Amino acid sequence: MKIAILGSGAFGAALAAALGREGPVVLWGRGQAGREIRRLPGLVLPETVTVTADLAETDSADLLLLSVPMQALGRFVADHGARLASRPLVACCKGVDLTTGLGPVEILETLGGPAPAVLTGPSFAADIAIGLPTALTLACRDDMLGAHLQARLSTPVLRLYRSTDVMGAELGGALKNVMAIAAGVVIGAGLGDSARAALMTRGYAEMLRFALARSARAETLAGLSGFGDLVLTCTSSQSRNFSFGLSLGRGESFDPATTVEGAATARAVARIGRTQALDLPVSTAVAALVDGRITVTEAIQSLLSRPLKQE
């Protein structure tokens, strides 16, 4: 089975490097003119990886991995749906579409082809690219197809664990980005590691509350795509979302060219929470903070002044 990866950002290029060590891969990127990957400087792709800016060169692939930013996925599918529809698709992005409130698999399901899957979990692109051991969740509603994809995409150091709970896997990967921004704010504002631990714990409870309201399974959120990813992204400056939160907490500027999916996800989740009367204090505070409607001091005070209650 020939694999094509659509999207040559850091994660797409890292997957190309990892999977290219096992066989031929096509890596497509808009405007990609060579083998140098801006987001992963120094990465040397295996010779088995064909790098192209011509989407037609992916037509011979039997399996497509879509590593397109979440907020661009809907438009990409609308523009290229006919080219994508007949083949297995794996979404490799995290978040909730700001316009529709849909996750990546729900967007891909509009094409009507084989059941799409999502690849998510605790991973930094740089680690995957150089072959460090990494474990991810592959979620697909069709378990037989999921087992096939699991076998095809696993490598000796990239271990995939299978699930049929697509909603849980998607929401774990999306919501942890919101909590990572909040964790970054906590550290950036100088509140300390104890406060971060409290934020992560209450943030996880909020993730679970939101996911269960959307028919996800609790055990999925306790796994790699939820708890595992939360721990990674809330504790490392390699996380773009955590770094963005650090900048907010310190009152510093942040590179506007850097994708911070948690910002859009916070807005979408806060809006859904209002319509469904869900208690989502961290997501609501992050959404207001990134929109400039409250200050860091006000965001912290809003959380610290909440009523005491039983855990």
Side-chain angles (χ1 to χ4, degrees):
M1 177 180 284
K2 185 176 179 181
I3 298 171
I5 299 171
L6 310 184
S8 61
F11 195 62
L15 288 173
L19 298 173
R21 298 184 187 107
E22 308 300 315
V25 173
V26 177
L27 175 63
W28 172 86
R30 185 174 286 112
Q32 188 68 37
R35 302 177 71 82
E36 183 176 344
I37 306 299
R38 184 170 64 90
R39 293 292 184 187
L40 289 175
L43 172 64
V44 178
L45 292 171
E47 292 299 321
T48 51
V49 178
T50 301
V51 182
T52 182
D54 183 359
L55 197 56
E57 290 196 44
T58 69
D59 288 348
S60 61
D62 306 293
L63 170 61
L64 299 179
L65 276 59
L66 279 73
S67 189
V68 178
M70 182 64 217
Q71 301 308 318
L73 182 63
R75 171 50 56 192
F76 185 84
V77 168
D79 290 344
H80 304 289
R83 174 167 257 130
L84 306 175
S86 62
R87 291 172 285 178
L89 304 174
V90 180
C92 301
C93 52
K94 302 173 182 179
V96 177
D97 184 79
L98 188 54
T99 303
T100 64
L102 300 178
V105 167
E106 292 173 300
I107 290 174
L108 296 181
E109 283 176 335
T110 62
L111 296 173
V118 61
L119 184 64
T120 184
S123 57
F124 288 136
D127 293 346
I128 293 175
I130 63 176
L132 295 180
T134 304
L136 300 174
T137 296
L138 178 81
C140 182
R141 300 190 209 283
D142 181 339
D143 194 44
M144 185 175 296
L145 176 56
H148 175 70
L149 296 173
Q150 178 187 32
R152 180 64 188 88
L153 296 175
S154 294
T155 77
V157 291
L158 183 62
R159 294 179 57 83
L160 305 190
Y161 289 81
R162 193 170 80 252
S163 173
T164 57
D165 183 13
V166 168
M167 182 63 74
E170 283 187 332
L171 290 179
L175 296 170
K176 62 87 188 179
N177 283 334
V178 179
M179 304 310 158
I181 293 175
V185 171
V186 165
I187 297 301
L191 301 185
D193 289 331
S194 297
R196 171 167 52 184
L199 182 283
M200 290 171 63
T201 304
R202 299 313 305 160
Y204 179 74
E206 184 170 312
M207 291 168 59
L208 192 60
R209 189 180 310 126
F210 185 87
L212 292 178
R214 293 172 73 86
S215 301
R217 300 199 296 263
E219 59 267 28
T220 306
L221 273 292
L224 290 165
S225 60
F227 178 75
D229 215 352
L230 177 71
V231 170
L232 183 70
T233 53
C234 287
T235 58
S236 174
S237 58
Q238 287 191 67
S239 163
R240 294 189 300 269
N241 292 278
F242 180 77
S243 295
F244 176 64
L246 274 177
S247 296
L248 288 175
R250 293 169 177 166
E252 300 172 348
S253 60
F254 190 78
D255 181 5
T258 299
T259 300
V260 182
E261 288 290 4
T265 300
R267 296 183 183 107
V269 167
R271 186 174 63 213
I272 293 169
R274 287 193 299 271
T275 62
Q276 297 186 7
L278 295 173
D279 185 27
L280 306 174
V282 179
S283 299
T284 300
V286 170
L289 186 58
V290 299
D291 284 340
R293 290 183 279 114
I294 60 174
T295 65
V296 169
T297 300
E298 289 168 340
I300 293 169
Q301 187 58 38
S302 72
L303 296 176
L304 291 180
S305 62
R306 285 172 55 80
L308 297 175
K309 61 182 181 179
Q310 186 176 35
E311 187 175 38

